[in-house]
Amino acid sequence: APSLPIAQQGEAILAQSAAVVTDPLHPDIQALIRNMQATMLAANGVGIAAPQVFRSLRLIIVASRPNPRYPDAPLMEAVAMINPEIIWLSIETCLGEEGCLSVPGRRAQVARAERLTVRYLNQQGERVEAAYSGFVARIIQHEMDHLNGILFVDRVG
Ligand SMILES: O=C(CSC(=O)[C@H](Cc1ccccc1)CC(F)(F)F)c1ccccc1
Ligand SMILES: [Zn+2]
């Protein structure tokens, strides 16, 4: 799958709210998931949201792996989340370093909920509800922000 161009900070699409995916099994959506995955891997990211590849759709990929800033981050299979909704957020928050493929060269400490439950459709169009904590929960909150036109730098005081 080809690597797609990544929208950079300042592109209008990154400040918009993305649209719900109406047909998760449509070949275009299945191809977009593959291309987003290839783009994220080529850019050495741990997540990516459809608006970042110029598609204003509620679709994210989450793919935590150990890295210098989070050496104990879980190594997980990339998971595609279609129309994700965070249905519970812990009150407890924690600070952690974030970066963004759309804001190269910037890193910042961002406060995020420690734990969350997310409801989404998987790549097979099945409903899933799953609980996450730590770095993976951080990535999910970061990617959900992209679907709502928010960049991590908007959250830095
Ligand atoms: O792998 C990265 C590169 S930035 C990245 O993967 C973003 C995801 C992300 C990284 C770190 C915390 C939360 C989300 C991808 C984006 F921009 F498409 F969302 C990384 C950066 C800082 C800390 C740990 C890892
Ligand atoms: Zn980002």
Side-chain angles (χ1 to χ4, degrees):
S3 189
L4 301 171
I6 297 176
Q8 298 297 289
Q9 182 176 25
E11 292 280 359
I13 196 162
L14 292 177
Q16 292 165 4
S17 267
V20 165
V21 173
T22 49
D23 179 2
L25 300 181
H26 193 288
D28 280 0
I29 297 298
Q30 295 297 315
L32 177 57
I33 290 171
R34 279 194 300 277
N35 294 342
M36 282 171 64
Q37 221 145 327
T39 304
M40 176 193 67
L41 291 179
N44 213 11
V46 292
I48 195 164
Q52 293 182 276
V53 292
F54 294 97
R55 300 289 303 274
S56 196
L57 290 170
R58 303 191 80 76
L59 164 58
I60 66 175
I61 309 276
V62 179
S64 165
R65 66 175 187 282
N67 60 84
R69 294 161 205 88
Y70 294 86
D72 54 355
L75 177 60
M76 64 187 270
E77 280 289 300
V79 58
M81 298 184 177
I82 300 169
N83 301 329
E85 295 169 84
I86 293 177
I87 59 174
W88 178 79
L89 276 178
S90 67
I91 297 168
E92 298 81 4
T93 61
C94 56
L95 270 178
E97 188 173 272
E98 300 192 10
C100 186
L101 302 178
S102 299
V103 191
R106 285 289 306 277
R107 294 263 190 249
Q109 292 290 322
V110 180
R112 300 282 189 184
E114 273 182 13
R115 294 180 305 285
L116 62 78
T117 302
V118 59
R119 178 186 300 154
Y120 63 92
L121 294 178
N122 65 16
Q123 197 165 349
Q124 291 70 38
E126 298 151 341
R127 281 170 57 110
V128 175
E129 271 188 25
Y132 291 98
S133 62
F135 184 50
V136 182
R138 175 174 300 280
I139 298 171
I140 292 169
Q141 293 170 81
H142 178 114
E143 302 311 336
M144 283 297 297
D145 272 355
H146 276 300
L147 302 186
N148 299 321
I150 299 166
L151 295 179
F152 81 106
V153 290
D154 302 331
R155 289 186 176 279
V156 175

Short mmCIF file of all heavy atoms in Angstrom, two decimals, residues 14-81:
data_model
loop_
_atom_site.label_atom_id
_atom_site.label_comp_id
_atom_site.label_asym_id
_atom_site.label_seq_id
_atom_site.Cartn_x
_atom_site.Cartn_y
_atom_site.Cartn_z
N LEU A 14 -7.36 19.81 9.25
CA LEU A 14 -6.95 19.37 10.60
C LEU A 14 -7.74 20.08 11.69
O LEU A 14 -7.68 19.68 12.87
CB LEU A 14 -5.45 19.61 10.80
CG LEU A 14 -4.51 18.75 9.96
CD1 LEU A 14 -3.07 19.16 10.21
CD2 LEU A 14 -4.71 17.26 10.26
N ALA A 15 -8.46 21.14 11.33
CA ALA A 15 -9.24 21.90 12.32
C ALA A 15 -10.74 21.63 12.18
O ALA A 15 -11.55 22.26 12.86
CB ALA A 15 -8.96 23.39 12.16
N GLN A 16 -11.09 20.66 11.31
CA GLN A 16 -12.51 20.35 11.10
C GLN A 16 -12.92 19.14 11.92
O GLN A 16 -12.08 18.32 12.30
CB GLN A 16 -12.77 20.06 9.61
CG GLN A 16 -12.62 21.27 8.73
CD GLN A 16 -12.52 20.90 7.24
OE1 GLN A 16 -12.63 19.73 6.85
NE2 GLN A 16 -12.26 21.91 6.42
N SER A 17 -14.24 19.00 12.14
CA SER A 17 -14.77 17.77 12.73
C SER A 17 -15.03 16.81 11.58
O SER A 17 -15.67 17.17 10.59
CB SER A 17 -16.07 18.06 13.48
OG SER A 17 -15.76 18.30 14.83
N ALA A 18 -14.55 15.59 11.71
CA ALA A 18 -14.66 14.60 10.63
C ALA A 18 -16.05 13.97 10.62
O ALA A 18 -16.75 13.95 11.63
CB ALA A 18 -13.58 13.54 10.81
N ALA A 19 -16.40 13.43 9.44
CA ALA A 19 -17.74 12.84 9.25
C ALA A 19 -17.76 11.36 9.63
O ALA A 19 -16.76 10.65 9.48
CB ALA A 19 -18.16 13.00 7.79
N VAL A 20 -18.91 10.90 10.11
CA VAL A 20 -19.12 9.49 10.45
C VAL A 20 -18.96 8.65 9.18
O VAL A 20 -19.35 9.06 8.09
CB VAL A 20 -20.55 9.30 11.04
CG1 VAL A 20 -20.96 7.85 11.07
CG2 VAL A 20 -20.60 9.91 12.44
N VAL A 21 -18.33 7.48 9.32
CA VAL A 21 -18.20 6.53 8.21
C VAL A 21 -19.54 5.79 8.09
O VAL A 21 -19.98 5.16 9.05
CB VAL A 21 -17.06 5.53 8.48
CG1 VAL A 21 -17.03 4.43 7.42
CG2 VAL A 21 -15.72 6.26 8.54
N THR A 22 -20.19 5.90 6.92
CA THR A 22 -21.53 5.31 6.79
C THR A 22 -21.45 3.83 6.37
O THR A 22 -22.31 3.04 6.76
CB THR A 22 -22.33 6.09 5.72
OG1 THR A 22 -21.50 6.22 4.56
CG2 THR A 22 -22.69 7.47 6.24
N ASP A 23 -20.40 3.45 5.60
CA ASP A 23 -20.32 2.06 5.13
C ASP A 23 -18.92 1.51 5.43
O ASP A 23 -18.03 1.56 4.58
CB ASP A 23 -20.62 1.99 3.63
CG ASP A 23 -20.51 0.55 3.12
OD1 ASP A 23 -20.25 -0.35 3.96
OD2 ASP A 23 -20.67 0.31 1.91
N PRO A 24 -18.73 0.99 6.67
CA PRO A 24 -17.39 0.55 7.08
C PRO A 24 -16.78 -0.51 6.17
O PRO A 24 -15.56 -0.61 6.05
CB PRO A 24 -17.62 -0.04 8.48
CG PRO A 24 -18.96 0.41 8.92
CD PRO A 24 -19.75 0.75 7.71
N LEU A 25 -17.64 -1.30 5.49
CA LEU A 25 -17.11 -2.39 4.66
C LEU A 25 -16.89 -1.98 3.21
O LEU A 25 -16.46 -2.77 2.38
CB LEU A 25 -18.06 -3.60 4.74
CG LEU A 25 -18.25 -4.17 6.16
CD1 LEU A 25 -19.17 -5.38 6.15
CD2 LEU A 25 -16.90 -4.52 6.80
N HIS A 26 -17.12 -0.70 2.90
CA HIS A 26 -16.93 -0.22 1.52
C HIS A 26 -15.46 -0.39 1.12
O HIS A 26 -14.57 -0.11 1.95
CB HIS A 26 -17.33 1.26 1.43
CG HIS A 26 -17.46 1.76 0.03
ND1 HIS A 26 -16.36 1.98 -0.78
CD2 HIS A 26 -18.55 2.07 -0.71
CE1 HIS A 26 -16.78 2.42 -1.96
NE2 HIS A 26 -18.09 2.48 -1.94
N PRO A 27 -15.19 -0.85 -0.09
CA PRO A 27 -13.80 -1.06 -0.53
C PRO A 27 -12.92 0.18 -0.34
O PRO A 27 -11.74 0.06 0.00
CB PRO A 27 -13.94 -1.42 -2.00
CG PRO A 27 -15.33 -1.91 -2.17
CD PRO A 27 -16.17 -1.23 -1.12
N ASP A 28 -13.50 1.37 -0.51
CA ASP A 28 -12.71 2.61 -0.33
C ASP A 28 -12.22 2.72 1.12
O ASP A 28 -11.10 3.16 1.37
CB ASP A 28 -13.58 3.85 -0.62
CG ASP A 28 -13.72 4.13 -2.10
OD1 ASP A 28 -13.12 3.34 -2.89
OD2 ASP A 28 -14.38 5.10 -2.46
N ILE A 29 -13.08 2.34 2.06
CA ILE A 29 -12.71 2.44 3.48
C ILE A 29 -11.65 1.39 3.80
O ILE A 29 -10.66 1.67 4.48
CB ILE A 29 -13.95 2.25 4.39
CG1 ILE A 29 -14.98 3.37 4.15
CG2 ILE A 29 -13.53 2.19 5.87
CD1 ILE A 29 -14.47 4.78 4.46
N GLN A 30 -11.83 0.18 3.27
CA GLN A 30 -10.86 -0.89 3.51
C GLN A 30 -9.48 -0.52 2.93
O GLN A 30 -8.45 -0.73 3.56
CB GLN A 30 -11.36 -2.21 2.91
CG GLN A 30 -12.64 -2.73 3.57
CD GLN A 30 -12.47 -3.08 5.04
OE1 GLN A 30 -11.49 -3.71 5.42
NE2 GLN A 30 -13.38 -2.63 5.88
N ALA A 31 -9.50 0.14 1.75
CA ALA A 31 -8.24 0.57 1.13
C ALA A 31 -7.62 1.71 1.94
O ALA A 31 -6.41 1.74 2.17
CB ALA A 31 -8.50 1.04 -0.31
N LEU A 32 -8.47 2.62 2.43
CA LEU A 32 -7.97 3.75 3.22
C LEU A 32 -7.29 3.24 4.50
O LEU A 32 -6.22 3.72 4.88
CB LEU A 32 -9.12 4.70 3.57
CG LEU A 32 -8.77 5.91 4.46
CD1 LEU A 32 -7.66 6.76 3.84
CD2 LEU A 32 -10.01 6.74 4.74
N ILE A 33 -7.89 2.22 5.14
CA ILE A 33 -7.29 1.64 6.36
C ILE A 33 -5.90 1.10 6.03
O ILE A 33 -4.93 1.39 6.74
CB ILE A 33 -8.20 0.54 6.94
CG1 ILE A 33 -9.48 1.16 7.54
CG2 ILE A 33 -7.45 -0.28 8.01
CD1 ILE A 33 -10.53 0.16 7.95
N ARG A 34 -5.78 0.39 4.92
CA ARG A 34 -4.48 -0.17 4.54
C ARG A 34 -3.48 0.94 4.27
O ARG A 34 -2.33 0.90 4.72
CB ARG A 34 -4.63 -1.06 3.28
CG ARG A 34 -5.14 -2.47 3.55
CD ARG A 34 -4.94 -3.37 2.32
NE ARG A 34 -5.65 -2.86 1.14
CZ ARG A 34 -6.94 -3.06 0.90
NH1 ARG A 34 -7.66 -3.74 1.78
NH2 ARG A 34 -7.52 -2.56 -0.17
N ASN A 35 -3.92 1.97 3.57
CA ASN A 35 -3.00 3.06 3.19
C ASN A 35 -2.61 3.89 4.42
O ASN A 35 -1.46 4.35 4.52
CB ASN A 35 -3.63 3.95 2.12
CG ASN A 35 -3.83 3.20 0.82
OD1 ASN A 35 -3.22 2.16 0.60
ND2 ASN A 35 -4.69 3.71 -0.03
N MET A 36 -3.54 4.07 5.36
CA MET A 36 -3.22 4.82 6.60
C MET A 36 -2.18 4.05 7.40
O MET A 36 -1.23 4.63 7.95
CB MET A 36 -4.48 5.04 7.44
CG MET A 36 -5.36 6.16 6.92
SD MET A 36 -6.95 6.23 7.77
CE MET A 36 -6.43 6.62 9.44
N GLN A 37 -2.34 2.73 7.46
CA GLN A 37 -1.41 1.88 8.20
C GLN A 37 0.00 2.00 7.59
O GLN A 37 0.98 2.21 8.32
CB GLN A 37 -1.86 0.41 8.11
CG GLN A 37 -1.72 -0.34 9.41
CD GLN A 37 -2.85 -1.34 9.61
OE1 GLN A 37 -3.98 -1.13 9.20
NE2 GLN A 37 -2.53 -2.44 10.23
N ALA A 38 0.08 1.93 6.26
CA ALA A 38 1.38 2.03 5.57
C ALA A 38 1.99 3.41 5.80
O ALA A 38 3.19 3.54 6.07
CB ALA A 38 1.19 1.77 4.08
N THR A 39 1.15 4.43 5.77
CA THR A 39 1.63 5.82 5.96
C THR A 39 2.17 6.01 7.37
O THR A 39 3.24 6.58 7.57
CB THR A 39 0.47 6.80 5.69
OG1 THR A 39 -0.05 6.57 4.37
CG2 THR A 39 0.91 8.25 5.84
N MET A 40 1.42 5.47 8.36
CA MET A 40 1.85 5.59 9.77
C MET A 40 3.19 4.89 9.97
O MET A 40 4.10 5.44 10.58
CB MET A 40 0.78 4.97 10.68
CG MET A 40 1.15 4.95 12.14
SD MET A 40 0.02 3.89 13.07
CE MET A 40 0.44 2.30 12.38
N LEU A 41 3.30 3.68 9.42
CA LEU A 41 4.55 2.91 9.60
C LEU A 41 5.71 3.62 8.91
O LEU A 41 6.79 3.77 9.49
CB LEU A 41 4.38 1.48 9.06
CG LEU A 41 3.43 0.59 9.88
CD1 LEU A 41 3.30 -0.79 9.26
CD2 LEU A 41 3.89 0.47 11.33
N ALA A 42 5.47 4.13 7.70
CA ALA A 42 6.55 4.81 6.97
C ALA A 42 7.01 6.06 7.72
O ALA A 42 8.18 6.43 7.69
CB ALA A 42 6.06 5.18 5.57
N ALA A 43 6.07 6.68 8.44
CA ALA A 43 6.40 7.91 9.19
C ALA A 43 6.85 7.60 10.60
O ALA A 43 7.11 8.50 11.40
CB ALA A 43 5.18 8.84 9.23
N ASN A 44 6.90 6.28 10.93
CA ASN A 44 7.37 5.87 12.25
C ASN A 44 6.46 6.39 13.37
O ASN A 44 6.93 6.83 14.42
CB ASN A 44 8.81 6.41 12.46
CG ASN A 44 9.61 5.45 13.31
OD1 ASN A 44 9.19 4.32 13.55
ND2 ASN A 44 10.74 5.92 13.78
N GLY A 45 5.18 6.34 13.12
CA GLY A 45 4.21 6.80 14.12
C GLY A 45 3.61 5.65 14.91
O GLY A 45 3.77 4.49 14.54
N VAL A 46 2.90 5.99 16.00
CA VAL A 46 2.21 4.97 16.80
C VAL A 46 0.69 5.13 16.67
O VAL A 46 -0.09 4.46 17.35
CB VAL A 46 2.62 5.04 18.31
CG1 VAL A 46 4.08 4.63 18.49
CG2 VAL A 46 2.36 6.43 18.88
N GLY A 47 0.28 6.01 15.78
CA GLY A 47 -1.14 6.21 15.53
C GLY A 47 -1.29 7.16 14.35
O GLY A 47 -0.31 7.79 13.92
N ILE A 48 -2.52 7.24 13.80
CA ILE A 48 -2.80 8.19 12.72
C ILE A 48 -4.32 8.29 12.59
O ILE A 48 -5.03 7.33 12.94
CB ILE A 48 -2.13 7.76 11.39
CG1 ILE A 48 -2.11 8.91 10.38
CG2 ILE A 48 -2.80 6.52 10.81
CD1 ILE A 48 -1.15 8.70 9.22
N ALA A 49 -4.80 9.47 12.16
CA ALA A 49 -6.24 9.70 11.99
C ALA A 49 -6.50 10.10 10.55
O ALA A 49 -5.67 10.79 9.93
CB ALA A 49 -6.70 10.81 12.95
N ALA A 50 -7.66 9.70 9.99
CA ALA A 50 -7.95 9.93 8.57
C ALA A 50 -7.78 11.39 8.13
O ALA A 50 -7.22 11.65 7.06
CB ALA A 50 -9.35 9.42 8.25
N PRO A 51 -8.19 12.38 8.95
CA PRO A 51 -7.98 13.77 8.50
C PRO A 51 -6.52 14.10 8.20
O PRO A 51 -6.22 14.97 7.38
CB PRO A 51 -8.50 14.60 9.68
CG PRO A 51 -9.51 13.72 10.34
CD PRO A 51 -8.96 12.32 10.21
N GLN A 52 -5.59 13.36 8.84
CA GLN A 52 -4.17 13.62 8.59
C GLN A 52 -3.73 13.19 7.19
O GLN A 52 -2.68 13.63 6.72
CB GLN A 52 -3.30 12.89 9.63
CG GLN A 52 -3.47 13.43 11.05
CD GLN A 52 -2.57 12.73 12.02
OE1 GLN A 52 -2.92 11.65 12.51
NE2 GLN A 52 -1.41 13.29 12.28
N VAL A 53 -4.53 12.34 6.55
CA VAL A 53 -4.23 11.97 5.16
C VAL A 53 -5.34 12.53 4.25
O VAL A 53 -5.72 11.93 3.25
CB VAL A 53 -4.06 10.44 5.00
CG1 VAL A 53 -2.80 9.96 5.71
CG2 VAL A 53 -5.28 9.67 5.47
N PHE A 54 -5.85 13.69 4.67
CA PHE A 54 -6.80 14.50 3.88
C PHE A 54 -8.15 13.80 3.63
O PHE A 54 -8.79 14.03 2.60
CB PHE A 54 -6.16 14.90 2.54
CG PHE A 54 -5.00 15.84 2.70
CD1 PHE A 54 -3.69 15.36 2.71
CD2 PHE A 54 -5.21 17.21 2.86
CE1 PHE A 54 -2.60 16.22 2.87
CE2 PHE A 54 -4.12 18.08 3.01
CZ PHE A 54 -2.82 17.59 3.02
N ARG A 55 -8.56 12.91 4.54
CA ARG A 55 -9.89 12.29 4.44
C ARG A 55 -10.62 12.62 5.74
O ARG A 55 -10.25 12.12 6.82
CB ARG A 55 -9.79 10.77 4.26
CG ARG A 55 -9.05 10.32 3.02
CD ARG A 55 -9.80 10.58 1.72
NE ARG A 55 -11.12 9.98 1.65
CZ ARG A 55 -11.37 8.72 1.27
NH1 ARG A 55 -10.37 7.92 0.93
NH2 ARG A 55 -12.61 8.26 1.24
N SER A 56 -11.62 13.51 5.66
CA SER A 56 -12.33 13.97 6.86
C SER A 56 -13.38 12.94 7.29
O SER A 56 -14.59 13.17 7.17
CB SER A 56 -12.96 15.33 6.61
OG SER A 56 -13.32 15.92 7.85
N LEU A 57 -12.86 11.81 7.81
CA LEU A 57 -13.70 10.66 8.22
C LEU A 57 -13.30 10.22 9.62
O LEU A 57 -12.13 10.36 10.01
CB LEU A 57 -13.50 9.50 7.25
CG LEU A 57 -14.07 9.67 5.84
CD1 LEU A 57 -13.59 8.54 4.94
CD2 LEU A 57 -15.59 9.72 5.88
N ARG A 58 -14.29 9.69 10.37
CA ARG A 58 -14.02 9.26 11.76
C ARG A 58 -13.42 7.86 11.77
O ARG A 58 -14.11 6.85 11.92
CB ARG A 58 -15.29 9.36 12.60
CG ARG A 58 -15.87 10.77 12.58
CD ARG A 58 -16.98 10.99 13.60
NE ARG A 58 -16.44 11.24 14.93
CZ ARG A 58 -15.90 12.39 15.32
NH1 ARG A 58 -15.77 13.40 14.46
NH2 ARG A 58 -15.44 12.53 16.55
N LEU A 59 -12.12 7.83 11.49
CA LEU A 59 -11.37 6.57 11.37
C LEU A 59 -9.96 6.82 11.90
O LEU A 59 -9.30 7.78 11.50
CB LEU A 59 -11.31 6.17 9.89
CG LEU A 59 -10.29 5.12 9.45
CD1 LEU A 59 -10.48 3.80 10.19
CD2 LEU A 59 -10.39 4.92 7.94
N ILE A 60 -9.51 5.97 12.84
CA ILE A 60 -8.15 6.10 13.38
C ILE A 60 -7.47 4.74 13.39
O ILE A 60 -8.13 3.71 13.36
CB ILE A 60 -8.17 6.69 14.82
CG1 ILE A 60 -8.83 5.73 15.82
CG2 ILE A 60 -8.87 8.05 14.85
CD1 ILE A 60 -8.78 6.20 17.28
N ILE A 61 -6.14 4.78 13.41
CA ILE A 61 -5.33 3.57 13.59
C ILE A 61 -4.53 3.78 14.88
O ILE A 61 -4.01 4.88 15.10
CB ILE A 61 -4.33 3.37 12.43
CG1 ILE A 61 -5.01 3.45 11.05
CG2 ILE A 61 -3.56 2.07 12.61
CD1 ILE A 61 -5.64 2.20 10.54
N VAL A 62 -4.47 2.76 15.73
CA VAL A 62 -3.71 2.82 16.98
C VAL A 62 -2.71 1.66 16.95
O VAL A 62 -3.12 0.52 16.71
CB VAL A 62 -4.65 2.70 18.21
CG1 VAL A 62 -3.86 2.74 19.51
CG2 VAL A 62 -5.70 3.81 18.17
N ALA A 63 -1.43 2.01 17.16
CA ALA A 63 -0.41 0.95 17.05
C ALA A 63 0.76 1.25 17.99
O ALA A 63 1.85 1.62 17.55
CB ALA A 63 0.08 0.84 15.61
N SER A 64 0.49 1.08 19.28
CA SER A 64 1.54 1.34 20.27
C SER A 64 2.71 0.39 20.07
O SER A 64 2.53 -0.75 19.65
CB SER A 64 0.97 1.12 21.68
OG SER A 64 2.02 1.01 22.62
N ARG A 65 3.91 0.91 20.36
CA ARG A 65 5.08 0.04 20.43
C ARG A 65 6.06 0.72 21.38
O ARG A 65 6.01 1.95 21.56
CB ARG A 65 5.71 -0.16 19.05
CG ARG A 65 6.30 1.09 18.47
CD ARG A 65 7.04 0.84 17.13
NE ARG A 65 7.69 2.09 16.76
CZ ARG A 65 7.04 3.11 16.20
NH1 ARG A 65 5.76 3.00 15.94
NH2 ARG A 65 7.68 4.23 15.90
N PRO A 66 6.94 -0.07 22.02
CA PRO A 66 7.92 0.53 22.93
C PRO A 66 8.75 1.57 22.18
O PRO A 66 9.07 1.37 21.01
CB PRO A 66 8.78 -0.65 23.37
CG PRO A 66 7.98 -1.86 23.09
CD PRO A 66 7.09 -1.52 21.92
N ASN A 67 9.02 2.69 22.84
CA ASN A 67 9.83 3.73 22.20
C ASN A 67 10.62 4.44 23.29
O ASN A 67 10.31 4.26 24.48
CB ASN A 67 8.92 4.69 21.41
CG ASN A 67 7.90 5.35 22.31
OD1 ASN A 67 8.20 6.35 22.95
ND2 ASN A 67 6.71 4.77 22.40
N PRO A 68 11.60 5.27 22.90
CA PRO A 68 12.48 5.86 23.93
C PRO A 68 11.74 6.55 25.06
O PRO A 68 12.12 6.49 26.21
CB PRO A 68 13.33 6.85 23.12
CG PRO A 68 13.28 6.37 21.72
CD PRO A 68 11.95 5.68 21.55
N ARG A 69 10.58 7.18 24.69
CA ARG A 69 9.86 7.92 25.73
C ARG A 69 8.96 7.02 26.55
O ARG A 69 8.60 7.33 27.66
CB ARG A 69 9.03 9.02 25.05
CG ARG A 69 9.94 10.06 24.41
CD ARG A 69 9.21 10.87 23.36
NE ARG A 69 10.19 11.37 22.41
CZ ARG A 69 10.57 10.67 21.35
NH1 ARG A 69 10.05 9.50 21.10
NH2 ARG A 69 11.47 11.14 20.53
N TYR A 70 8.53 5.90 25.96
CA TYR A 70 7.65 4.96 26.67
C TYR A 70 8.22 3.56 26.47
O TYR A 70 7.70 2.77 25.69
CB TYR A 70 6.24 5.03 26.11
CG TYR A 70 5.53 6.37 26.35
CD1 TYR A 70 5.70 7.43 25.47
CD2 TYR A 70 4.73 6.57 27.48
CE1 TYR A 70 5.08 8.65 25.69
CE2 TYR A 70 4.11 7.79 27.70
CZ TYR A 70 4.28 8.82 26.80
OH TYR A 70 3.65 10.04 27.00
N PRO A 71 9.35 3.28 27.17
CA PRO A 71 10.01 1.99 26.92
C PRO A 71 9.13 0.79 27.30
O PRO A 71 9.30 -0.29 26.75
CB PRO A 71 11.26 2.05 27.79
CG PRO A 71 11.20 3.31 28.57
CD PRO A 71 10.04 4.13 28.12
N ASP A 72 8.16 1.02 28.23
CA ASP A 72 7.32 -0.13 28.63
C ASP A 72 5.97 -0.09 27.90
O ASP A 72 5.02 -0.75 28.32
CB ASP A 72 7.14 -0.16 30.15
CG ASP A 72 6.60 1.18 30.66
OD1 ASP A 72 6.47 2.11 29.84
OD2 ASP A 72 6.33 1.27 31.86
N ALA A 73 5.88 0.71 26.84
CA ALA A 73 4.62 0.73 26.07
C ALA A 73 4.40 -0.67 25.48
O ALA A 73 5.35 -1.33 25.07
CB ALA A 73 4.71 1.76 24.95
N PRO A 74 3.14 -1.11 25.43
CA PRO A 74 2.89 -2.44 24.87
C PRO A 74 3.15 -2.46 23.37
O PRO A 74 2.92 -1.48 22.67
CB PRO A 74 1.41 -2.69 25.17
CG PRO A 74 0.83 -1.36 25.44
CD PRO A 74 1.92 -0.45 25.89
N LEU A 75 3.66 -3.60 22.89
CA LEU A 75 3.78 -3.81 21.44
C LEU A 75 2.45 -4.43 21.01
O LEU A 75 2.08 -5.50 21.51
CB LEU A 75 4.93 -4.78 21.15
CG LEU A 75 5.13 -5.14 19.67
CD1 LEU A 75 5.42 -3.91 18.84
CD2 LEU A 75 6.27 -6.15 19.53
N MET A 76 1.66 -3.73 20.20
CA MET A 76 0.34 -4.26 19.84
C MET A 76 0.18 -4.27 18.32
O MET A 76 0.79 -3.48 17.61
CB MET A 76 -0.77 -3.40 20.47
CG MET A 76 -0.79 -1.97 19.95
SD MET A 76 -1.95 -0.91 20.82
CE MET A 76 -3.43 -1.14 19.86
N GLU A 77 -0.66 -5.21 17.87
CA GLU A 77 -1.07 -5.22 16.46
C GLU A 77 -1.78 -3.89 16.20
O GLU A 77 -2.54 -3.43 17.06
CB GLU A 77 -2.09 -6.34 16.23
CG GLU A 77 -1.46 -7.72 16.09
CD GLU A 77 -0.73 -7.84 14.77
OE1 GLU A 77 -1.37 -7.69 13.72
OE2 GLU A 77 0.50 -8.04 14.82
N ALA A 78 -1.56 -3.28 15.03
CA ALA A 78 -2.29 -2.05 14.70
C ALA A 78 -3.78 -2.36 14.72
O ALA A 78 -4.21 -3.39 14.18
CB ALA A 78 -1.86 -1.56 13.33
N VAL A 79 -4.56 -1.49 15.37
CA VAL A 79 -6.02 -1.68 15.38
C VAL A 79 -6.67 -0.48 14.72
O VAL A 79 -6.32 0.67 15.02
CB VAL A 79 -6.57 -1.91 16.82
CG1 VAL A 79 -6.25 -0.77 17.75
CG2 VAL A 79 -8.06 -2.14 16.79
N ALA A 80 -7.58 -0.76 13.76
CA ALA A 80 -8.36 0.29 13.10
C ALA A 80 -9.65 0.47 13.88
O ALA A 80 -10.32 -0.53 14.23
CB ALA A 80 -8.66 -0.10 11.66
N MET A 81 -9.97 1.72 14.20
CA MET A 81 -11.20 2.02 14.94
C MET A 81 -12.06 2.93 14.06
O MET A 81 -11.65 4.06 13.78
CB MET A 81 -10.90 2.69 16.28
CG MET A 81 -10.08 1.82 17.21
SD MET A 81 -9.83 2.61 18.83
CE MET A 81 -8.93 1.31 19.69
#
